[in-house]
Amino acid sequence: MGAISTPLVLVLLFCCLVSVSQAEYLKYKDPKRPLNVRIKDLLKRMTLEEKIGQMVQIERSVATPQVMKKYFIGSVLSGGGSVPETNASAETWIQMVNGIQNGSLSTRLGIPMIYGIDAVHGHNNVYKATIFPHNVGLGVTRDPVLIKKIGDATALEVRATGIQYVFAPCIAVCRDPRWGRCYESYSEDPKIVQAMTEIIPGLQGDISDNSRKGVPFVAGKNKVAACAKHYVGDGGTTKGINENNTVVSYNGLLRIHMPAYHDSIVKGVSTVMVSYSSWNGQKMHANHFLVTDYLKNKLKFRGFVISDWLGIDRITSPSHSNYSYSIQVGVGAGIDMIMVPFNFTEFIDVLTYQVKNNIIPVSRIDDAVRRILRVKFVMGLFENPHADISLVNQLGSEEHRQLAREAVRKSLVLLKNGKSAEKPLLPLPKKAAKILVAGSHADNLGYQCGGWTITWQGGGGNNLTVGTTILDAVKQAIDPATKVVYNENPDSNFVKSNNFSYAIVTVGEHPYAETFGDSLNLTISEPGPSTITNVCGSIQCVVVLITGRPVVIQPYLSKIDALVAAWLPGTEGQGVTDLLFGDYGFTGKLARTWFKTVDQLPMNVGDKYYDPLFPFGFGLSTNTTRY
């Protein structure tokens, strides 16, 4: 082989340098470029395979770096209770998320994935996280400033584990407490739910006044992308049956269930999740009019629309019975990201076939990917794809626990105080000879937190996570000379023979989530009723209800001296005792109507035949005994 001349070498070298410099400068990787320029530049570089991959969200248990690279997967999630290991530390979560991210970054275009998790009352899947009261309690506070602070704290704890996206808030308007997700709703009143959308700027950061309406917004590495859910009408199903049919006129839908979505979009919410439920018989996952025509076109929402878990499968009955049809109408309706979460290759193959055969137009795919990329660019994921350990100390921090304790205080509602108004029982004296603490929920952190806590359905006991039970809070609050006797379910003889000064009885519902919580009778779990009867029939008692909604209480009301609705307060039980013992006064007002009997349901404020046990807005107050 002959020698190559020096001029030719120089020309080749120059060409290589030009080629490298051109390859190094990619508009979509330049944060100084306008958002739409970056989106357009990246989109035109993408193959159909890469675009469809961006539309797929898979479960972490199948999200290996190899899978992320091979299929160009756009997003990963933790299903309820899906964790890298039992009681995983923040560092372990970060290691997992970064490992998955490395797979995404090793693809041809290096598009980072976005990791989502249900953080519906704090970072609730994660051990040692601060668990705030569920929304049913937060609505009672009617305090948007507090709710925004909770959003801010939740964002920090989520980022502490390397995660950038939360499936929250739930802005359902629960119109029937028989619904198993009613505790995820702030109120039966759309105005309260609208006010509580202030959690979105807490999670994402404050959008600027001159921002274009509908454009998603996330203010950097300490914030997360939020998700308004479940679009739309999920809280209005017949008899409160989960995932069922909401029968309401178009005007009724806009008046009751839509207002909070207006507010969420104005506040820059990044994503919207579609509801399993139907509206007047049509599945929301297949509703082009409400998803595309109304949400995207009329409300100008520019973030991405995500399905619920296997949401498109459930378009048909039985589920997944005509998957090709489900994909066609689900994606066609305007859903941009599909929560698969396991059988992703089938989804990819079917959608690819449909696009190549003009069943679904490429323009619909481009719209979906454009929206997904917009959120990723806005979040700064391209500049900061990896999590770091600088925020790990935010998980379960003392500051956040004090905030949760404040939220508990403001969320409790005093429904009764004394057999007569002249003789109130609360606040209780801290100094007494001997007091009784009873009830299945008094010393049970899992019951206190409810569903969506560590696992999907929640659980019982005190080993689930870290927090303060109501029993422990009582022991910390009372005078050291006061003897506390705990008996979960005492008989009346025990109560009468012990000469107690008074009793605190804590009972309620056992944890549940979604369909498992649907209830036609709304009764307190046994042995709650017998504990109330045995204790309150013998001595002065305050009953603290730990429930996700109003429950049947009228049969026991005459026996009870004082009654407190504590809802599902979370890990900070001291917020309950702060009020029982008068360190703070009760201020909470019902954000839900409390029925007399389930036969009255559904019954909401403003109804023609409104005859509640405790009306919407009811709540007694007490004075503080602090000096």
Side-chain angles (χ1 to χ4, degrees):
M1 189 174 178
I4 301 174
S5 67
T6 301
L8 181 58
V9 170
L10 291 172
V11 168
L12 290 171
L13 183 60
F14 176 77
C15 290
C16 288
L17 288 171
V18 169
S19 175
V20 168
S21 66
Q22 287 176 337
E24 283 178 349
Y25 182 71
L26 301 168
K27 289 180 185 177
Y28 78 88
K29 288 193 174 183
D30 185 353
K32 295 177 183 176
R33 286 281 185 167
L35 176 62
N36 286 335
V37 171
R38 299 181 75 185
I39 295 169
K40 186 177 180 180
D41 179 65
L42 179 51
L43 193 65
K44 75 179 183 184
R45 298 174 188 275
M46 296 174 72
T47 64
L48 177 62
E49 189 180 13
E50 288 166 329
K51 290 175 182 177
I52 288 175
Q54 283 300 301
M55 296 173 65
V56 178
Q57 185 180 66
I58 64 175
E59 218 284 323
R60 54 152 290 278
S61 57
V62 296
T64 64
Q66 294 75 24
V67 163
M68 302 302 291
K69 182 177 182 180
K70 182 177 180 181
Y71 296 99
F72 311 104
I73 301 297
S75 184
V76 177
L77 84 152
S78 277
S82 179
V83 297
E85 62 183 46
T86 303
N87 298 349
S89 66
E91 290 87 350
T92 299
W93 279 94
I94 287 172
Q95 187 177 13
M96 178 194 70
V97 174
N98 281 344
I100 295 170
Q101 188 69 281
N102 287 337
S104 296
L105 298 177
S106 67
T107 56
R108 181 178 72 94
L109 296 170
I111 303 172
M113 68 87 194
I114 181 172
Y115 195 108
I117 197 164
D118 286 283
V120 297
H121 61 143
H123 198 11
N124 50 261
N125 264 28
V126 176
Y127 184 68
K128 288 188 178 179
T130 308
I131 305 298
F132 292 90
H134 266 298
N135 289 354
V136 66
L138 295 181
V140 164
T141 71
R142 292 167 172 77
D143 187 345
V145 174
L146 173 68
I147 269 56
K148 185 178 180 181
K149 289 178 182 176
I150 289 171
D152 180 63
T154 300
L156 285 171
E157 297 209 11
V158 170
R159 281 289 193 169
T161 57
I163 295 170
Q164 324 102 333
Y165 175 29
V166 297
F167 306 126
C170 177
I171 53 173
V173 182
C174 175
R175 303 291 284 178
D176 193 325
R178 291 175 290 188
W179 186 36
R181 303 193 81 147
C182 200
Y183 64 75
E184 297 184 55
S185 168
Y186 293 107
S187 178
E188 69 190 45
D189 180 4
K191 289 186 175 62
I192 290 179
V193 180
Q194 279 182 281
M196 297 299 102
T197 60
E198 195 63 13
I199 196 170
I200 291 168
L203 292 164
Q204 297 192 154
D206 288 303
I207 197 164
S208 62
D209 292 335
N210 59 357
S211 289
R212 196 169 149 212
K213 180 190 172 185
V215 176
F217 177 77
V218 181
K221 293 192 291 183
N222 291 0
K223 295 295 182 179
V224 293
C227 178
K229 66 181 189 182
H230 309 86
Y231 185 82
V232 59
D234 51 340
T237 58
T238 302
K239 294 184 179 179
I241 298 169
N242 192 41
E243 304 182 21
N244 209 257
N245 190 28
T246 297
V247 180
V248 66
S249 69
Y250 180 56
N251 287 337
L253 188 77
L254 298 189
R255 179 174 53 85
I256 297 170
H257 300 285
M258 195 67 79
Y261 287 96
H262 288 253
D263 290 64
S264 299
I265 290 165
V266 167
K267 291 172 181 176
V269 73
S270 296
T271 74
V272 171
M273 184 184 290
V274 181
S275 176
Y276 286 130
S277 58
S278 302
W279 174 51
N280 295 337
Q282 183 180 6
K283 292 276 190 179
M284 278 304 311
H285 275 77
N287 196 315
H288 183 277
F289 169 69
L290 286 175
V291 175
T292 293
D293 296 343
Y294 196 88
L295 178 65
K296 290 184 172 182
N297 296 341
K298 187 174 180 63
L299 297 186
K300 307 295 184 187
F301 175 60
R302 294 289 178 265
F304 68 78
V305 177
I306 187 169
S307 82
D308 208 332
W309 177 281
L310 294 174
I312 62 166
D313 300 54
R314 301 191 199 186
I315 289 172
T316 59
S317 184
S319 179
H320 201 81
S321 58
N322 189 343
Y323 197 45
S324 179
Y325 168 77
S326 294
I327 291 173
Q328 181 183 342
V329 298
V331 174
I335 300 172
D336 305 310
M337 184 175 282
I338 315 298
M339 199 183 290
V340 181
F342 301 109
N343 198 7
F344 54 90
T345 55
E346 181 187 13
F347 172 81
I348 290 170
D349 290 345
V350 174
L351 182 55
T352 302
Y353 173 86
Q354 292 184 352
V355 175
K356 286 183 175 179
N357 287 274
N358 299 316
I359 298 167
I360 292 178
V362 174
S363 59
R364 171 74 273 271
I365 303 302
D366 286 349
D367 171 59
V369 177
R370 192 178 292 112
R371 290 166 177 275
I372 292 163
L373 295 178
R374 182 176 292 122
V375 171
K376 290 183 176 184
F377 279 125
V378 162
M379 293 177 69
L381 268 185
F382 282 81
E383 288 70 54
N384 296 292
H386 287 106
D388 60 53
I389 61 170
S390 65
L391 295 174
V392 292
N393 291 334
Q394 294 288 342
L395 188 70
S397 73
E398 182 59 28
E399 182 182 355
H400 297 163
R401 291 188 183 278
Q402 289 302 319
L403 177 64
R405 184 173 176 174
E406 177 189 353
V408 175
R409 288 196 296 265
K410 292 181 176 179
S411 67
L412 269 55
V413 182
L414 181 58
L415 299 172
K416 182 179 180 180
N417 192 14
K419 293 283 173 67
S420 68
E422 292 74 34
K423 292 185 177 181
L425 179 62
L426 300 182
L428 298 168
K430 292 184 178 182
K431 195 164 187 175
K434 184 166 58 171
I435 65 173
L436 172 65
V437 178
S440 52
H441 291 56
D443 188 31
N444 198 309
L445 193 63
Y447 287 3
Q448 196 173 298
C449 292
W452 291 110
T453 305
I454 305 302
T455 63
W456 174 36
Q457 293 294 320
N462 293 332
N463 296 322
L464 220 58
T465 190
V466 175
T468 304
T469 67
I470 291 169
L471 174 63
D472 285 338
V474 169
K475 290 177 178 177
Q476 293 173 31
I478 50 97
D479 187 271
T482 302
K483 185 177 181 182
V484 177
V485 175
Y486 171 62
N487 189 323
E488 185 174 325
N489 186 26
D491 60 34
S492 56
N493 289 331
F494 175 85
V495 178
K496 291 173 183 173
S497 62
N498 266 281
N499 199 28
F500 293 112
S501 302
Y502 57 82
I504 300 169
V505 178
T506 308
V507 295
E509 297 183 295
H510 292 156
Y512 55 80
E514 300 190 46
T515 305
F516 292 91
D518 287 356
S519 172
L520 293 177
N521 56 35
L522 293 178
T523 53
I524 300 167
S525 304
E526 288 291 348
S530 61
T531 306
I532 292 173
T533 301
N534 292 344
V535 177
C536 298
S538 304
I539 56 170
Q540 279 196 312
C541 77
V542 53
V543 171
V544 178
L545 291 177
I546 305 294
T547 67
R549 53 204 164 182
V551 290
V552 174
I553 195 67
Q554 191 182 31
Y556 323 110
L557 198 55
S558 61
K559 299 185 182 75
I560 296 168
D561 294 281
L563 178 63
V564 175
W567 314 110
L568 298 168
T571 49
E572 307 313 302
Q574 288 160 295
V576 176
T577 53
D578 282 343
L579 271 61
L580 293 182
F581 293 105
D583 291 329
Y584 295 81
F586 279 88
T587 57
K589 307 296 180 186
L590 286 178
R592 301 207 53 79
T593 297
W594 203 295
F595 58 89
K596 292 176 180 174
T597 69
V598 291
D599 297 335
Q600 296 175 294
L601 299 175
M603 178 174 58
N604 294 282
V605 63
D607 287 356
K608 185 176 181 181
Y609 301 104
Y610 190 67
D611 183 29
L613 182 63
F614 300 108
F616 176 91
F618 179 82
L620 302 174
S621 58
T622 56
N623 295 321
T624 176
T625 57
R626 290 193 303 172
Y627 294 98

